[in-house]
Amino acid sequence: SVMSPTVLYLGDTRLTEAAAYLAGVMTHAGLVYDYLPSDAPVPSDVLDRDYAAVIISDFPAANFGPAGLERLAQRVRAGLGLLMIGGWESFHGAGGLYQATPVAACLPVVISDADDRVNCAQPCLVESVSSHPIVAGLPFSDESPGVGGYNRFAAKAGAQTVLAVRRFRVRRRGGRFEFDPAVHPDPLLVVGQGEGGRVAAFASDVAPHWVGGLVDWGRSRVRASGPGAAAVEVGEFYARFFANLVRWTAGALG
């Protein structure tokens, strides 16, 4: 008998493009997935399958249709894990438009009702905010990685902010770089577990360009490719972080 896939992965263009990153990380970690590309409507029966978690990344809300969005929300309330990863077609974005959907009510963050994209030409560094199984053993403080952009959202009351991002204004004066940090960081990883399944929101992307330097975070390299996906080479800490994020959401960590 064939084992049913653990995870339904939606978006990041297609497996031969941006989706190759998370597909490779999941395969490297022994996680099994079904996949739909960013331009595919969600067939009505897919959301009835026995998944442990659904991952939405650069996948517009319109692809679900109203009935699909309501069905997904029902499944999350009944225990299905839900992870949304940032991008131009995630959260509000330029075309995600999840803010007024039933899925927004399930996420641990408040989605903006206006364009929430923050594009960072200057350094934007990840800060560790609280301890959690997803980040256990990862050197976020000693080797702070950077990202290239993110969706700005707010954590809901009762949710846990695990990671934040802080932007820096950098100037070169007198032969030295001056780093001027933003007064307030923005949430990067927020998790929650209410009545239903585990829910997580990651504000930046798993794939270029928004993932920035995070994709190369680590002292050694991981080479991987998922079924039907292009091969990728990434940093070991990046691979471990995203594998942990998926495992936790699917109820297989902590």
Side-chain angles (χ1 to χ4, degrees), residues 40 47 68 76:
L47 296 173
V76 174

Side-chain angles (χ1 to χ4, degrees), residues 217-228:
W217 189 42
R219 295 163 198 143
S220 65
R221 310 291 291 171
V222 169
R223 292 175 182 84
S225 60

Side-chain angles (χ1 to χ4, degrees), residues 71-80 195-197:
R71 180 66 182 136
L72 177 55
Q74 284 174 357
R75 290 291 314 277
V76 174
R77 291 193 294 268
L80 176 71
E195 300 297 307

Side-chain angles (χ1 to χ4, degrees), residues 59 74 98 101 123 136 147 175 180 214:
F59 190 81
Q74 284 174 357
Y98 282 91
T101 70
V147 297
D180 185 22
L214 180 63

Side-chain angles (χ1 to χ4, degrees), residues 119-136:
N119 294 291
C120 307
Q122 293 210 304
C124 181
L125 300 179
V126 181
E127 292 185 3
S128 179
V129 176
S130 62
S131 59
H132 192 276
I134 295 169
V135 297

Side-chain angles (χ1 to χ4, degrees), residues 220-245:
S220 65
R221 310 291 291 171
V222 169
R223 292 175 182 84
S225 60
V232 293
E233 182 188 299
V234 298
E236 57 168 328
F237 297 152
Y238 161 92
R240 200 192 314 169
F241 169 71
F242 279 103
N244 284 354
L245 181 55

Side-chain angles (χ1 to χ4, degrees), residues 118-124 147-150 167-170 209-210:
V118 179
N119 294 291
C120 307
Q122 293 210 304
C124 181
V147 297
Y150 59 96
R167 302 175 74 187
F168 289 80
R169 184 181 175 204
V170 184
H209 70 283
W210 265 8

Side-chain angles (χ1 to χ4, degrees), residues 84-87 91 107-112 116-118 120 124-130 140 147 149-157 159-167 182-192 200-205 210 241:
M84 187 175 286
I85 295 172
F91 299 103
L107 289 168
V109 296
V110 179
I111 301 174
S112 175
D116 54 7
R117 293 172 299 159
V118 179
C120 307
C124 181
L125 300 179
V126 181
E127 292 185 3
S128 179
V129 176
S130 62
F140 278 104
V147 297
Y150 59 96
N151 300 92
R152 181 177 276 135
F153 50 55
K156 285 181 180 172
Q160 180 184 356
T161 301
V162 179
L163 297 172
V165 280
R166 195 180 297 263
R167 302 175 74 187
V183 176
H184 299 291
D186 285 317
L188 176 66
L189 174 61
V190 180
V191 299
F202 182 74
S204 189
D205 210 336
W210 265 8
F241 169 71

